[in-house]
Amino acid sequence: RMEDLPEIPTIINNGKDNSNGTYLMTIMAGPIDSESESKQEDEEEDKKTQWSEIYVATFITFLCSVENNMISIGEWNYLQKMDPEVDNTFFALVTSITKGGHALFSLMFAYWSHRFRVSKLPLLVGRLTALAGCILYLLIEYVPTDRRYAMLFCYCLFGISFGNQPILRAFIARMSSNKSRVTAYALFSTATMFSIVIGPLGQLAFSSISYPGYEIFPGMKFHIFSAPVWIALITNIIAIAVVLIRFDDPWEREPRTIKKTSSTTSFSLEDIKSKWESIRSLPLPWLLVCVVLFEKAIANVTLASIFSVASPLMTDVFGFNAKETITIHAVAQLIVGLFALTISAAFILSSRTLLLFSLCISVTLYIVSYPWPVPTLSRPMLPRNDTVNTGCSPQRYPWCDYALAPNPWIWISVMIISMGFTFPTSSIGLDTLYSRVLGNVDQTLMQGAMVLVEDIILFFGPFYASQMFKAFSISALWTVNVFVVAIGLIVFMASFRRFKPY
């Protein structure tokens, strides 16, 4: 109402009413007040973000991620060293079961945290599981036969241990305001990317210590394959200490009456159904939630394929021996990490724009790295050399006599760009969009759903990729993948405007 508006003072000039001055003052008052209100709102938003807790969660994420990035570089070659009967199908099984355990326990950890209003204890259980996996991995040579199955069990423990990732993702969302969430998730992603840099550096530092290396304890050796596990063992101990001493469980701040009424010991079917109904009743834009989850699946198709065929491709198609394969993987991953770290730290574009750009780059890279029948882009398969265990074996791959191999250096470059650029951009973009679409709700279970979708692809993806590669060569795998990613691009472009408010 007009009578409620504040009176604007009159400017007096030489004892006279200066109406022009009053008008000018009225014009200027609005922008000044609006600007001060905007600054006040920004300050209030910043106060809602608890940066110190976000830094702690980011550091824990880094320590957890180092383990995976350390071990993954030489696992194919170590598997072959410990058990010569290992082939790329079993290697795909290792990857799939690891991700399957991760997917299952992501849901279990998420439900545990959400149901019982606790974050610290699930994090500790995850780290203790990883610690057990590292110790068993270092004792692998005590196993007399069929060591591949013992190593499979270790990888399963590693997958289970990282299942508490949704707790940290939900923690980041809870500790940040809507305005600062993009920066918070960029920091979260940067921790993972930084671990990608540390992993290959650790591997390269000990690349000169060939197997069997040095015996530290009877049956426990230090060599090119086990060195990353020793480092992962140390980072796990540090992570356990940080969680125990520094991690501030946000649920502990809740009044006891709220925790008591919102938590029971029931794990009945009715209890799970009621939780599902409560999630369905949330006022969320479910179409956009489904699009983000679909794009998360599409983004991981490339990762699953690269993880499954990269090592066999290096040895069986490109002809690199074990040491060369590990060195190339380590250097490539180091470049990937530096590339991804730079992108994560310099995150300035909107989430949806970055994700769209990432999908376009993925489609382009598949086309560039395809083994086209052009001399500089492809070459015939190398013959098998059983002495050094390299080259293409017709007994293992029926296409050795006629298929073309991609140029190894083009393929390696594409792998670096794909993992160094598209992985961090899609990861940050999807995480931020998803968190903003979910809004101000307890995101633990929904973040668990995001991890579940990722793990489903990383569970079935290796089987799909390894079987396609084994039966039809890299050409068929790349042809199918480019169409899958193109579908993801089309779906996201159709939904692009709907994401604008987020």
Side-chain angles (χ1 to χ4, degrees):
R1 294 178 303 173
M2 293 299 295
E3 57 267 27
D4 293 334
L5 295 176
E7 182 178 349
I8 299 173
T10 303
I11 296 178
I12 306 297
N13 186 17
N14 296 329
K16 295 183 182 181
D17 183 348
N18 190 335
S19 58
N20 289 335
T22 302
Y23 177 74
L24 181 61
M25 193 70 177
T26 305
I27 294 296
M28 294 178 64
I32 293 174
D33 290 340
S34 299
E35 185 177 347
S36 61
E37 286 178 7
S38 177
K39 288 181 179 178
Q40 187 175 359
E41 288 176 1
D42 289 344
E43 289 175 0
E44 290 176 357
E45 283 287 320
D46 287 337
K47 289 178 182 178
K48 294 177 185 178
T49 301
Q50 300 182 40
W51 288 110
S52 61
E53 303 305 320
I54 290 173
Y55 295 148
V56 171
T58 300
F59 184 56
I60 295 172
T61 301
F62 163 72
L63 293 173
C64 296
S65 300
V66 163
E67 166 199 305
N68 181 57
N69 289 302
M70 282 281 186
I71 297 171
S72 62
I73 295 174
E75 59 186 1
W76 163 254
N77 302 97
Y78 196 34
L79 272 169
Q80 286 189 315
K81 179 69 71 175
M82 291 295 98
D83 197 330
E85 295 182 16
V86 169
D87 59 11
N88 71 310
T89 302
F90 184 83
F91 185 60
L93 177 66
V94 169
T95 305
S96 295
I97 289 183
T98 302
K99 294 304 177 181
H102 186 214
L104 177 61
F105 279 83
S106 290
L107 283 181
M108 293 182 65
F109 278 122
Y111 186 80
W112 181 7
S113 176
H114 176 80
R115 183 62 177 157
F116 295 97
R117 300 298 193 260
V118 61
S119 298
K120 192 170 188 174
L121 185 57
L123 287 176
L124 279 175
V125 170
R127 288 305 90 212
L128 289 171
T129 304
L131 191 65
C134 289
I135 294 172
L136 290 174
Y137 196 95
L138 292 172
L139 295 172
I140 201 68
E141 295 194 49
Y142 279 108
V143 179
T145 59
D146 294 329
R147 290 174 177 173
R148 61 186 181 279
Y149 297 110
M151 296 182 78
L152 174 62
F153 179 68
C154 292
Y155 290 125
C156 191
L157 289 180
F158 294 145
I160 291 170
S161 69
F162 206 48
N164 51 24
Q165 186 184 18
I167 298 172
L168 290 170
R169 293 165 66 96
F171 182 83
I172 294 292
R174 183 168 182 167
M175 294 293 106
S176 60
S177 67
N178 188 61
K179 185 179 180 65
S180 62
R181 194 156 298 157
V182 106
T183 305
Y185 272 112
L187 283 172
F188 185 75
S189 181
T190 299
T192 304
M193 304 311 157
F194 190 59
S195 72
I196 296 175
V197 174
I198 297 297
L201 283 176
Q203 183 71 74
L204 289 171
F206 305 106
S207 61
S208 61
I209 307 175
S210 59
Y211 181 84
Y214 306 103
E215 192 170 53
I216 298 179
F217 301 108
M220 295 183 71
K221 300 174 182 177
F222 188 89
H223 47 73
I224 186 173
F225 302 116
S226 67
V229 187
W230 284 101
I231 298 174
L233 183 73
I234 296 170
T235 59
N236 267 296
I237 293 172
I238 296 173
I240 291 170
V242 172
V243 173
L244 281 171
I245 298 170
R246 181 59 183 84
F247 185 78
D248 185 12
D249 195 333
W251 295 113
E252 293 299 326
R253 307 174 193 173
E254 299 288 347
R256 289 183 179 271
T257 53
I258 293 178
K259 288 192 71 176
K260 187 175 180 180
T261 56
S262 62
S263 174
T264 68
T265 57
S266 172
F267 275 95
S268 65
L269 182 61
E270 290 299 322
D271 179 58
I272 295 174
K273 287 172 65 177
S274 66
K275 285 294 178 185
W276 171 246
E277 291 299 326
S278 66
I279 291 173
R280 289 183 59 189
S281 63
L282 292 174
L284 298 176
W286 287 105
L287 176 62
L288 298 185
V289 170
C290 291
V291 170
V292 174
L293 293 177
F294 175 72
E295 296 300 335
K296 187 69 173 179
I298 294 297
N300 281 280
V301 168
T302 300
L303 286 179
S305 298
I306 289 177
F307 289 156
S308 301
V309 304
S311 293
L313 200 68
M314 291 286 184
T315 56
D316 298 342
V317 175
F318 297 154
F320 298 120
N321 61 36
K323 186 174 182 179
E324 289 171 338
T325 299
I326 290 176
T327 302
I328 290 171
H329 271 308
V331 172
Q333 190 168 313
L334 176 61
I335 298 172
V336 165
L338 293 172
F339 199 176
L341 190 62
T342 303
I343 292 171
S344 299
F347 185 74
I348 56 174
L349 297 175
S350 70
S351 304
R352 60 180 189 142
T353 303
L354 203 61
L355 180 57
L356 180 62
F357 192 41
S358 174
L359 288 167
C360 292
I361 291 294
S362 293
V363 172
T364 304
L365 292 179
Y366 274 117
I367 296 172
V368 170
S369 61
Y370 184 86
W372 300 102
V374 178
T376 56
L377 300 180
S378 64
R379 70 183 190 186
M381 296 291 168
L382 294 176
R384 182 67 178 177
N385 185 338
D386 291 323
T387 303
V388 292
N389 199 27
T390 62
C392 195
S393 171
Q395 287 73 33
R396 182 178 294 179
Y397 305 113
W399 37 262
C400 286
D401 295 331
Y402 61 85
L404 291 174
N407 183 308
W409 303 114
I410 291 178
W411 197 91
I412 292 169
S413 300
V414 164
M415 181 181 68
I416 291 172
I417 295 172
S418 180
M419 297 185 67
F421 181 81
T422 62
F423 173 63
T425 52
S426 63
S427 178
I428 297 173
L430 284 168
D431 286 349
T432 306
L433 275 178
Y434 191 62
S435 178
R436 286 180 168 177
V437 167
L438 292 178
N440 296 320
V441 299
D442 179 10
Q443 297 190 8
T444 308
L445 284 178
M446 294 303 292
Q447 290 290 348
M450 171 74 98
V451 175
L452 176 63
V453 168
E454 179 179 3
D455 284 340
I456 287 175
I457 297 301
L458 294 179
F459 177 78
F460 291 105
F463 280 115
Y464 145 76
S466 63
Q467 291 304 313
M468 284 284 290
F469 175 73
K470 186 174 183 178
F472 306 108
S473 82
I474 193 72
S475 304
L477 177 61
W478 252 221
T479 301
V480 175
N481 280 8
V482 74
F483 279 106
V484 171
V485 176
I487 291 171
L489 176 60
I490 292 169
V491 170
F492 189 73
M493 288 179 66
S495 311
F496 191 75
R497 290 187 178 182
R498 291 177 179 269
F499 283 105
K500 188 175 182 179
Y502 305 97

